Amino acid sequence: MHNLSKIELLSVGFMVFSIFFGAGNLIFPPFLAQNAGTSFPIAMAGFLATGIGLPLLGLIATAKHGGRYTQLIDERVHPVFRAISFGLLYLTIGPLFAVPRTGAVSFEIGIKPFLAVGSANTGELIYTAVFFLVTYWLAANPSMIVDRVGKVLSPLLLLFLCVLFARTYYEPIGRILEPVEEYAVSPFASGFINGYLTMDMLAALPFATLAITAIRQKGLTENADICRACVKACIIAVVLMGIVYVSLAYLGATCPSVLGYSANGGIILSSATYVFFGDTGKIVLAFIIGFACLTTSIGVSSAFASYYQYVFDGRVAYKTLLKLAVFFSFLASNVGLTELIRISVPFLVALYPIFIVLVLVSLFDRQLGCSRSVYRWSIGMTLPFSILDGLQAADVQLAGLQELLTQYLPLYSVNLGWLLPALLGVAIGYVLARR
């Protein structure tokens, strides 16, 4: 049995944390807590279930199968299903939504406050061009990501976050108000759904592959040793994420009584750091946002290019795919932060249930007899309801059907209508496999 040293384990754990911790992780907890008010601990419990619990399970599932998750889905479900579902996954967490959001968030929060009125559009164009050029430069050699991110950018990010959180706990901005909107009715379910927006569950599968690659490069060759090291590194990452999430939520919960309600989490962070540190706060926040978004942009862009290199069987070079991803991300990032969030929500709501079911079933692959029927029935029962949830999130009205499902299908009204059909699919698939 071989193990990584503590320093090597920490560097991989820091790399996973930094790649995970990007734009959505910064802006959603304070926005959630702003609206949840005194119910923010309950709302955060739901948020942490999807924002940390599910990503950790995804990381473990991928590590358990040696990083060969796509091959597993080919065998257990079907190559066509894998091509469509994973293709959409990598596009969603890559150049369509998540990576452009890193450029948009880091500009909106870190750079825009320094610009004169009327120069924001030009400033965003220049900033995002530089941001994605740096992303390409640092992601062009994927074997160096653990050293560049885990040993350099991660400690800097944590240092700036510690400065912000120390002031948050020492001298809160204001008192915590009563919950508003959906958080007054169902805080846990609302937090659970908002955890989707971080995209961390979807990102867990490619990020675990990056972690496994980094561990192999450090000399581990046995699958059991690699899995054990990967799980330990991922636990380090999610513990750090949990601490940061709760601290950001507390910051957001204390803001409305003094600063009023904000349109998104980026505005909350910008306003709060100005209250804490004045003009210096803008500089501190610019560094936090810049490092957080850059590390995520590097990791996701690299994962996207690596996956599609696998899809094209090496016929398209990694750097060519990386250039295409980075260029499209640059174009999409100039759409604007609020619009990017609005467009991405229906896709995330539709994709999440499918990958939650895949991860949970794959974790118990052996106990379920490595059965194709379990995978196929559970996915088949989940898919219609995840699509309906996505349409509902996009405000597509299917009034009669939605009223019927709201009345007779438990949890449908809170976008969890897929849960019971998925469990039923597992049960049917298991019984059929046994027979």
Side-chain angles (χ1 to χ4, degrees):
M1 184 176 71
H2 295 86
N3 292 310
L4 298 182
S5 69
K6 290 181 179 179
I7 297 298
E8 289 174 327
L9 199 60
L10 281 172
S11 68
V12 177
F14 281 172
M15 179 200 75
V16 176
F17 163 75
S18 291
I19 293 174
F20 262 121
F21 190 74
N25 312 79
L26 278 166
I27 63 177
F28 291 120
F31 185 69
L32 174 154
Q34 165 193 263
N35 295 328
T38 53
S39 296
F40 94 86
I42 301 172
M44 279 305 295
F47 183 88
L48 292 176
T50 45
I52 286 184
L54 290 176
L56 178 59
L57 293 179
L59 292 165
I60 293 172
T62 309
K64 182 180 176 182
H65 294 284
R68 292 180 286 273
Y69 207 79
T70 51
Q71 292 92 323
L72 176 75
I73 304 306
D74 281 348
E75 295 168 4
R76 299 287 191 269
V77 188
H78 197 277
V80 174
F81 170 80
R82 189 268 307 159
I84 294 171
S85 60
F86 275 78
L88 288 172
L89 181 150
Y90 277 91
L91 286 168
T92 301
I93 68 167
L96 287 186
F97 300 122
V99 176
R101 193 172 69 185
T102 61
V105 168
S106 56
F107 171 78
E108 180 104 5
I109 305 174
I111 305 300
K112 191 175 179 179
F114 294 99
L115 300 179
V117 177
S119 61
N121 290 339
T122 303
E124 184 170 19
L125 194 66
I126 296 170
Y127 172 80
T128 51
V130 173
F131 180 90
F132 287 111
L133 282 172
V134 174
T135 293
Y136 174 78
W137 176 57
L138 292 175
N141 186 353
S143 64
M144 295 295 292
I145 287 178
V146 67
D147 293 317
R148 291 166 174 169
V149 174
K151 294 181 180 178
V152 179
L153 296 180
S154 298
L156 287 172
L157 170 60
L158 289 170
L159 174 64
F160 284 114
L161 286 171
C162 286
V163 172
L164 176 61
F165 296 151
R167 184 62 187 272
T168 299
Y169 288 113
Y170 177 72
E171 191 177 355
I173 289 177
R175 62 187 180 87
I176 301 175
L177 302 179
E178 293 298 313
V180 298
E181 299 177 355
E182 69 269 23
Y183 294 96
V185 180
S186 53
F188 182 87
S190 299
F192 190 92
I193 296 300
N194 270 276
Y196 288 0
L197 301 180
T198 65
M199 304 191 194
D200 284 347
M201 169 65 189
L202 301 181
L205 307 181
F207 289 175
T209 303
L210 286 177
I212 290 167
T213 300
I215 289 166
R216 284 190 175 127
Q217 289 170 349
K218 293 184 180 298
L220 269 64
T221 55
E222 296 295 327
N223 284 338
D225 295 336
I226 293 169
C227 180
R228 191 180 304 108
C230 185
V231 170
K232 288 179 180 178
C234 293
I235 289 172
I236 291 171
V238 297
V239 168
L240 288 172
M241 286 166 61
I243 294 169
V244 173
Y245 281 158
V246 172
S247 300
L248 286 169
Y250 181 70
L251 171 66
T254 60
C255 284
S257 62
V258 175
L259 303 177
Y261 289 91
S262 301
N264 61 56
I267 298 171
I268 295 172
L269 283 174
S270 182
S271 302
T273 51
Y274 182 77
V275 170
F276 284 145
F277 306 110
D279 289 331
T280 305
K282 294 180 181 180
I283 299 173
V284 172
L285 186 62
F287 277 104
I288 292 173
I289 296 295
F291 284 126
C293 292
L294 182 61
T295 52
T296 298
S297 181
I298 294 165
V300 177
S301 298
S302 176
F304 173 87
S306 297
Y307 174 74
Y308 276 96
Q309 186 183 28
Y310 160 77
V311 168
F312 294 125
D313 199 23
R315 292 189 297 272
V316 183
Y318 170 84
K319 288 187 178 181
T320 300
L321 292 164
L322 183 63
K323 286 175 185 176
L324 291 171
V326 167
F327 180 69
F328 191 89
S329 299
F330 160 69
L331 296 178
S333 67
N334 285 274
V335 169
L337 174 57
T338 303
E339 187 65 15
L340 274 173
I341 294 172
R342 187 189 67 80
I343 295 171
S344 66
V345 168
F347 287 90
L348 295 173
V349 170
L351 280 174
Y352 247 87
I354 296 167
F355 282 95
I356 290 173
V357 172
L358 277 177
V359 165
L360 293 178
V361 171
S362 66
L363 279 172
F364 298 98
D365 187 61
R366 289 185 181 177
Q367 290 84 347
L368 294 170
C370 305
S371 168
R372 288 184 178 183
S373 65
V374 172
Y375 282 84
R376 290 176 176 179
W377 271 95
S378 59
I379 293 300
M381 296 287 281
T382 303
L383 188 59
F385 297 96
S386 68
I387 292 172
L388 284 173
D389 285 345
L391 292 173
Q392 187 176 359
D395 289 328
V396 175
Q397 298 301 318
L398 301 170
L401 179 60
Q402 289 179 348
E403 288 174 7
L404 186 68
L405 290 172
T406 300
Q407 185 174 356
Y408 292 106
L409 181 62
L411 303 177
Y412 181 78
S413 60
V414 291
N415 291 105
L416 295 174
W418 54 269
L419 185 57
L420 288 181
L423 292 173
L424 181 61
V426 171
I428 293 172
Y430 183 72
V431 170
L432 290 175
R434 296 282 292 178
R435 294 180 64 182

